[in-house]
């Protein structure tokens, strides 16, 4: 029984009131987490402290409520930030220098590009660009590209894509695939799932269809079979998607996509207009998009789930967390919170890949988020099915508590087996180069020791954009004074791993 409970993990409450509901969340390379909500929903629960809203110069009017915070992991504190235009249902991606490039939103923010450049002190804040996007980007998706530009795909009634930054004279490029996948009265193709494939083209999944797009030529180079199982997988029938970890054993060429959850056809209309909540989908589909004959392999989760986040853990396993068992995304459009996360183990045999984990006590419904932290915990926040902050008189009040899910691999029984990184020979790694990592370990390294690098995602509306993990090639491990030494080989190109900040984790057995 003790072993069984150990494998389920546990939960810690970090914040009773963070001040802002976490509609959007991303991990910064300064070991802080950037969190923000929408700006036009009225008062939050934390005020700005910048000079224009100081106690001596201005009362805490609605304009002086903060709608963004920076969470400091080490001190477990938050700092209010000032975001101006509305970020409601927006998208984001990191540039190679670690700056968050954040695009779109609603109302006065739907064509705005914002930047947040992390700092180690409290001097950094949001900066908004005067250059407008070509199209409205509300419920769009972003992906960093090998040339350090960011592609922005789709959005409500925006059946096209564009780049940030643009080349001279460049605008938006039409994408008929988004018209084709747009379901009447339901859409079900917003926040399309986008993954950069190993040939440099972009995999795009919307509703239940998918393509491989050569975005430089604006040509669809491949269409994949429709995902079986019925229903839809994208907003508002929101499931989620990950690209499974890439491996140096095949030179990072083999690409598999996993998509889980969603809602049956018609579920959104029934929830919105009739308050009838249909059971969510319980199926997952897995497809090797680099295969000569790609086909979906279907399997069922332990239970139905919609609005589920999917995160790649440091071990290469996938955490399915947050969401509901009935309904869809939208205002008061779901019921039956899915309190127990699922663990998906890609390397296990079909039928033995899922494990049910320890439940939270806090419903995480519409507008919930989660991010993997550098220490291996998972930060969980948000949940607001209401327009504005409402704490009573509704089925699911606005949630300002933040908690951490602590996976099994952080249990004290693994302390003797867990490696700790001492040093890295360089913090700026060149493509294809070798670099040295020193680490400590109280026991001998496992024969299956692995070295993973992970690009943290920008997470909102169940979709973790730009999430990417690679398993690096390693030399023989040598015992040195004060620890072990290993040589690792960096990925060969920005197609395999777009330039930027990555977390390095040693997985010992």
């Amino acid at each position: 029984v003790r072993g069984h409970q150990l494998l389920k993990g546990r939960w810690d409450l970090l914040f009773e009131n963070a001040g802002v509901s976490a509609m959007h969340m991303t991990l910064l390379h300064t070991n802080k987490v950037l969190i923000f909500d929408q700006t036009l929903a009225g008062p939050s629960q934390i005020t700005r402290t910048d000079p224009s809203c100081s106690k001596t110069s201005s009362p805490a009017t609605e304009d002086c409520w903060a709608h963004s915070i920076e969470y400091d992991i080490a001190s477990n504190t938050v700092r209010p930030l000032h975001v101006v235009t509305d970020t409601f249902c927006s998208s984001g991606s990191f540039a190679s220098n670690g700056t968050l490039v954040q695009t779109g939103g609603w109302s006065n923010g739907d064509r705005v590009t914002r930047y947040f450049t992390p700092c180690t002190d409290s001097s950094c804040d949001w900066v908004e660009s005067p250059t407008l996007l070509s199209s409205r980007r509300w419920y769009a998706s972003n992906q960093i590209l090998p040339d350090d530009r960011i592609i922005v795909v789709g959005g409500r009634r925006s059946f096209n894509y564009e780049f940030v930054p643009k080349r001279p004279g460049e605008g938006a490029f039409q994408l008929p695939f988004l018209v084709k996948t747009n379901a009447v009265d339901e859409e079900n193709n917003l926040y399309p799932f986008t993954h950069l494939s190993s040939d440099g083209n972009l995999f795009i999944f919307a509703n239940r269809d998918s393509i491989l797009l050569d975005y430089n030529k604006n040509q669809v180079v491949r269409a994949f079979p429709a995902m079986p199982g019925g229903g839809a997988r994208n907003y508002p029938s929101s499931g989620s998607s990950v690209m499974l970890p890439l491996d140096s054993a095949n030179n990072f060429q083999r690409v598999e996509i996993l998509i889980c959850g969603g809602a049956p056809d018609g579920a959104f209309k029934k929830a919105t207009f009739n308050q009838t909540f249909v059971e969510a989908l319980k199926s997952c589909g897995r497809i090797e998009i680099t295969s000569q004959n790609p086909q979906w392999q279907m399997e069922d989760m332990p239970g139905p789930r919609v609005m589920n986040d999917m995160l790649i853990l440091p071990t290469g396993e996938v955490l399915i967390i947050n969401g509901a068992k009935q309904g869809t995304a939208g205002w008061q459009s779901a019921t039956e919170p899915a309190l127990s996360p699922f663990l998906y183990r890609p390397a296990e045999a079909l039928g033995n890949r899922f494990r049910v984990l320890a439940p939270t006590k806090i419903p995480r419904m519409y507008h919930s988020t989660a991010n993997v932290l550098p220490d291996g915990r998972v930060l969980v926040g948000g949940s607001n099915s209401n327009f504005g902050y409402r704490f009573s008189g509704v089925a699911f009040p606005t949630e300002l508590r933040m908690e951490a899910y602590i996976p099994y691999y952080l249990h004290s029984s693994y302390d003797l087996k867990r490696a700790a990184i001492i040093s890295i020979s360089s913090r700026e790694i060149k493509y294809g180069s070798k670099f040295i990592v020193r680490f400590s370990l109280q026991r001998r390294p496992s024969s299956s020791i692995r070295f993973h690098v992970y690009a943290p995602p920008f997470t909102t509306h169940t979709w973790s954009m730009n999430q990417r993990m690679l398993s690096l090639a390693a030399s023989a491990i040598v015992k040195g004074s004060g620890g072990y030494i290993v040589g690792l080989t960096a990925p060969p190109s920005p197609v395999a791993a777009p330039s930027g900040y990555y977390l390095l984790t040693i997985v010992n057995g």
Side-chain angles (χ1 to χ4, degrees):
V1 174
R2 284 180 58 195
H4 182 65
Q5 292 302 117
L6 178 158
L7 294 174
K8 288 190 171 188
R10 62 184 179 87
W11 291 84
D12 273 354
L13 181 66
L14 301 177
F15 250 93
E16 188 66 38
N17 184 347
V20 169
S21 191
M23 182 186 292
H24 312 80
M25 178 187 291
T26 192
L27 173 67
L28 307 173
H29 68 266
T30 51
N31 287 335
K32 298 176 183 179
V33 179
L34 183 63
I35 293 169
F36 55 101
D37 195 3
Q38 63 182 113
T39 62
L40 297 182
S44 65
Q45 293 285 297
I46 185 171
T47 53
R48 287 162 40 201
T49 56
D50 49 281
S52 60
C53 283
S54 65
K55 293 180 181 180
T56 56
S57 62
S58 171
T61 63
E62 180 176 326
D63 289 338
C64 285
W65 293 105
H67 302 285
S68 176
I69 55 174
E70 184 184 60
Y71 170 62
D72 187 310
I73 300 167
S75 64
N76 197 45
T77 57
V78 298
R79 177 173 71 95
L81 302 171
H82 182 203
V83 59
V84 180
T85 53
D86 197 20
T87 50
F88 185 35
C89 308
S90 53
S91 52
S93 177
F94 286 107
S96 62
N97 66 356
T99 293
L100 177 69
V101 182
Q102 207 277 315
T103 50
W106 186 52
S107 185
N108 65 358
D110 62 5
R111 292 179 61 197
V112 174
T113 301
R114 307 167 196 87
Y115 298 91
F116 188 90
T117 300
C119 57
T120 55
D121 55 17
S122 59
S123 62
C124 46
D125 211 330
W126 288 96
V127 175
E128 305 211 353
S129 170
T131 303
L132 295 179
L133 296 164
S134 297
S135 294
R136 298 173 70 239
R137 299 298 172 190
W138 192 24
Y139 305 99
S141 293
N142 292 19
Q143 173 66 52
I144 184 69
L145 299 174
D147 63 0
D148 203 27
R149 295 208 298 168
I150 292 161
I151 188 170
V152 188
V153 181
R156 177 160 286 165
R157 292 182 289 278
S158 293
F159 306 118
N160 52 48
Y161 64 91
E162 62 184 289
F163 300 94
V164 178
K166 290 178 172 52
R167 296 186 175 120
E170 195 175 65
F173 298 84
Q174 296 306 305
L175 188 57
F177 170 75
L178 294 177
V179 178
K180 174 190 171 186
T181 54
N182 183 48
V184 176
D185 297 329
E186 289 197 306
E187 298 175 296
N188 284 337
N189 70 342
L190 301 178
Y191 280 122
F193 304 143
T194 54
H195 299 284
L196 181 66
S197 187
S198 55
D199 62 358
N201 292 316
L202 189 68
F203 175 84
I204 305 176
F205 183 101
N207 200 320
R208 51 176 169 255
D209 292 314
S210 51
I211 59 171
L212 196 63
L213 176 71
D214 183 335
Y215 46 83
N216 288 313
K217 297 179 180 178
N218 192 24
Q219 291 181 356
V220 175
V221 297
R222 193 172 201 179
F224 298 94
M227 184 173 171
R233 309 289 175 162
N234 295 84
Y235 186 92
S237 294
S238 304
S240 193
S241 174
V242 295
M243 174 190 286
L244 295 178
L246 305 177
D247 200 320
S248 60
N250 53 59
N251 201 29
F252 311 106
Q253 290 300 299
R254 186 171 184 266
V255 178
E256 282 191 285
I257 306 297
L258 176 69
I259 296 173
C260 293
D265 293 330
F268 176 71
K269 287 191 286 186
K270 290 176 181 177
T272 302
F273 301 118
N274 303 327
Q275 288 291 284
T276 300
F277 305 112
V278 178
E279 184 175 90
L281 301 178
K282 66 187 301 185
S283 59
C284 294
R286 181 167 163 176
I287 186 170
E288 183 184 341
I289 65 171
T290 48
S291 167
Q292 290 186 349
N293 182 30
Q295 298 294 326
W296 290 97
Q297 182 187 71
M298 302 301 293
E299 52 193 316
D300 281 346
M301 295 183 286
R305 209 163 195 131
V306 65
M307 298 185 292
N308 47 284
D309 288 286
M310 291 172 65
L311 296 170
I312 305 173
L313 296 175
T315 54
E317 299 162 311
V318 178
L319 181 70
I320 303 172
I321 195 168
N322 298 340
K325 300 177 183 179
Q326 297 177 357
T328 67
W331 304 124
Q332 295 92 35
S333 294
T335 189
E336 291 294 321
L339 300 176
S340 293
F342 302 146
L343 184 70
Y344 180 84
R345 299 169 293 173
E348 297 293 327
L350 184 67
N352 193 41
R353 291 173 177 161
F354 285 100
R355 179 186 294 158
V356 179
L357 304 176
T360 178
K361 297 179 181 179
I362 302 175
R364 299 291 182 179
M365 305 291 280
Y366 189 38
H367 293 148
S368 298
T369 49
N371 263 199
V372 177
L373 299 179
D375 60 13
R377 295 177 301 158
V378 177
L379 180 66
V380 180
S383 188
N384 192 9
S385 300
N386 319 291
F387 191 86
Y389 284 28
R390 297 186 62 182
F391 303 103
S392 62
V394 291
F396 299 103
T398 303
E399 189 55 69
L400 300 180
R401 286 174 290 182
M402 292 202 308
E403 56 189 336
Y405 173 69
I406 303 173
Y408 72 93
Y409 50 74
L410 293 177
H411 193 275
S412 59
S413 63
Y414 290 118
D415 285 353
L416 295 178
K417 301 177 182 179
R418 191 181 302 110
I421 298 173
I422 299 170
S423 65
I424 304 174
S425 59
S426 174
R427 292 302 177 109
E428 294 186 10
I429 312 297
K430 303 296 183 183
Y431 288 106
S433 67
K434 289 183 169 54
F435 59 101
I436 304 300
V437 175
R438 296 177 183 271
F439 63 96
S440 62
L441 191 60
Q442 296 191 49
R443 293 183 178 176
R444 291 180 61 85
S446 162
S447 60
S448 60
I449 194 167
R450 290 165 291 150
F451 302 86
H452 291 166
V453 289
Y454 176 70
F458 175 89
T459 302
T460 187
H461 289 76
T462 80
W463 169 219
S464 287
M465 308 174 195
N466 298 281
Q467 184 172 215
R468 198 175 192 89
M469 178 175 280
L470 301 92
S471 183
L472 301 185
S475 66
I477 297 171
V478 177
K479 182 75 166 71
S481 58
Y484 292 90
I485 301 170
V486 65
L488 302 182
T489 302
S493 73
V495 173
S499 300
Y501 285 86
Y502 288 74
L503 285 169
L504 171 66
T505 303
I506 301 175
V507 185
N508 183 41

